[in-house]
Amino acid sequence: MARGVELENRSILRLTGKDTTDFLQGLITNDIKGIDTQQAIYAGLLTPQGKFLFDMIIVQNNGDLFLDIEKSRKDDLFRRLMMYKLRADVNIIDESETLKVWAVFDHSNTDTDNNDKAASSIIYDDPRSSRMGKRIISNHAPAFTPMAYHEYEQQRLQNTIPDGSRDMKVEKYFWLETNAEALNGVDFDKGCYVGQELTARMKHRTTIKKSLITFISETDDLIADTSITNESGKTVGELHTVSGKIGIGYIRLEHVKTDTKLFAGDTMIIAQA
């Protein structure tokens, strides 16, 4: 039996219109043409300097594009897309009151799966990692055994998957510093998009010096949004979301390699290999 949880911190925007594909293709970091009815993509919308503004999972259904996005910043993204839209034939529809998002694990082609499809649910693999199971967009709760939200969080953190602005500072972190390449969130061959030049330059001409990585402690007293310090007390990074003994943090990578001990507050942490 599938195990799943509703992701109450996610919302849905639906894009319709004949210019929708070309519109998004010129904005996001991934190739919109890689989408079909069961194959989603993960992508970012960046500043012209290649820094994180929004991230999203995009899937297609009946010719429309559905953007699985951060709920707390839905209105900001809506306004940003409207600003870019100009005269394009694109309609942006807020579906957050009618459609919800679930993460589901151990999901197989069962009668439940068929029933969900019959009820017009959108079922697709999480494009960031096969370890994150499937996602379902629907107007009703799918049939599954409920799992605790912290179980989902730990799976996400173990795989160094950021959760929007909880883990990525808006207009501060470069897209390639957020583990985006490993999470299938960028296509280096697709052509122009906002922030493309800086992103390509970081890939081909520089070495990533800072990054999001997963940290583990021996105790359960990790605190979110805590400075990461080295043994001498120097701040070298910041820990963002945590769940139990695991968290995701942003750090200058040289300190992971050279510092003997790292701390989040008073708790010693170890970078996950």
Side-chain angles (χ1 to χ4, degrees):
M1 181 69 174
R3 300 167 60 250
V5 61
E6 181 180 350
L7 302 180
E8 297 181 357
N9 62 341
R10 306 297 291 180
S11 281
I12 298 295
L13 293 179
R14 178 165 61 94
L15 273 59
T16 69
K18 67 180 181 65
D19 296 333
T20 297
T21 297
D22 290 339
F23 168 67
L24 276 184
Q25 184 76 337
L27 295 179
I28 62 172
T29 59
N30 216 333
D31 191 346
I32 200 75
K33 296 175 182 178
I35 293 179
D36 61 32
T37 53
Q38 290 184 309
Q39 179 63 51
I41 63 168
Y42 176 58
L45 176 58
L46 312 181
T47 69
Q49 294 75 35
K51 295 185 178 181
F52 164 76
L53 274 178
F54 304 93
D55 69 338
M56 61 196 76
I57 296 174
I58 309 172
V59 67
Q60 182 189 78
N61 191 297
N62 293 327
D64 295 344
L65 294 177
F66 291 76
L67 277 56
D68 169 356
I69 60 172
E70 190 177 0
K71 184 175 184 177
S72 64
R73 302 188 63 233
K74 167 179 64 69
D75 293 340
D76 292 338
L77 177 56
F78 186 96
R79 286 191 290 268
R80 177 73 58 158
L81 293 175
M82 289 296 294
M83 180 185 75
Y84 281 123
K85 186 173 82 73
L86 300 176
R87 297 180 182 274
D89 182 3
V90 178
N91 299 308
I92 306 169
I93 304 164
D94 183 355
E95 296 280 10
S96 56
E97 295 301 317
T98 56
L99 296 176
K100 308 300 180 184
V101 182
W102 285 265
V104 181
F105 298 85
D106 305 318
H107 191 274
S108 60
N109 293 322
T110 62
D111 290 338
T112 300
D113 194 6
N114 293 330
N115 289 338
D116 283 333
K117 289 178 180 177
S120 299
S121 296
I122 308 171
I123 305 170
Y124 53 96
D125 294 331
D126 190 316
R128 300 169 299 180
S129 169
S130 60
R131 297 176 181 176
M132 295 306 295
K134 292 182 181 288
R135 288 170 91 89
I136 297 178
I137 298 173
S138 182
N139 60 5
H140 68 283
F144 53 66
T145 301
M147 62 185 288
Y149 183 70
H150 75 83
E151 293 182 73
Y152 171 82
E153 281 287 87
Q154 291 191 339
Q155 186 74 0
R156 178 179 72 80
L157 296 170
Q158 286 169 0
N159 290 283
T160 320
I161 297 176
D163 185 25
S165 61
R166 295 174 68 201
D167 297 310
M168 299 181 283
K169 286 197 172 181
V170 178
E171 299 188 55
K172 297 293 184 182
Y173 296 177
F174 288 104
W175 186 234
L176 294 188
E177 293 178 337
T178 69
N179 204 33
E181 185 175 2
L183 298 177
N184 308 308
V186 59
D187 187 316
F188 293 104
D189 300 319
K190 62 159 284 188
C192 294
Y193 57 86
V194 179
Q196 182 265 340
E197 183 177 353
L198 269 295
T199 303
R201 187 179 302 168
M202 287 190 71
K203 167 67 175 176
H204 298 295
R205 298 184 184 180
T206 64
T207 300
I208 302 296
K209 296 181 179 179
K210 302 176 183 178
S211 183
L212 289 176
I213 62 174
T214 296
F215 290 95
I216 300 172
S217 74
E218 294 184 352
T219 61
D220 286 330
D221 54 357
L222 285 178
I223 299 174
D225 300 317
T226 304
S227 294
I228 297 174
T229 58
N230 62 13
E231 201 167 7
S232 64
K234 178 182 178 181
T235 297
V236 297
E238 47 204 341
L239 190 69
H240 294 307
T241 55
V242 303
S243 181
K245 300 178 181 180
I246 191 167
I248 190 171
Y250 178 77
I251 191 170
R252 186 174 287 276
L253 295 175
E254 64 181 274
H255 293 284
V256 175
K257 299 176 182 178
T258 61
D259 289 334
T260 305
K261 295 180 180 179
L262 293 171
F263 300 87
D266 296 326
T267 303
M268 191 170 78
I269 56 176
I270 299 172
Q272 179 176 270

